[in-house]
Amino acid sequence: MTETPHAHRLGAKAGSPHTFGAAVLTVSTSVAAGEREAGGSPPIVDAIEKWGFRLESTAVVPDDVDEIKAALRNWTANRSVNLILTTGGTGLSPT
């Protein structure tokens, strides 16, 4: 495994009981509808694992403020999620 600069500040060693949990939210109407693949998520998940974080959850929501807020609120209420990364902007939406 290639050491990431400042890795000691990020998660922790994989499998450590002190590993921090992370979640990835993809915001895209077309991905949520199954019309496209979430191209941004796999590299983010790979980075999370490389940095030593434990992947707690991933989700895809459409470009809808209420659904985005609900996903973020759910994860912020979950004490095992310490980091939330978002990705999106996969194209134009009529909404």
Side-chain angles (χ1 to χ4, degrees), residues 18-76:
H18 302 293
T19 302
F20 293 105
V24 178
L25 180 64
T26 300
V27 180
S28 171
T29 299
S30 59
V31 173
E35 298 167 2
R36 293 179 74 164
E37 289 190 31
S41 297
I44 293 172
V45 169
D46 289 345
I48 285 170
E49 292 170 347
K50 179 180 176 182
W51 294 337
F53 287 88
R54 179 185 63 256
L55 183 64
E56 286 291 323
S57 186
T58 62
V60 177
V61 296
D63 299 334
D64 178 86
V65 173
D66 292 331
E67 290 197 45
I68 297 166
K69 286 196 294 189
L72 294 173
R73 285 184 176 142
N74 180 48
W75 285 337
T76 56

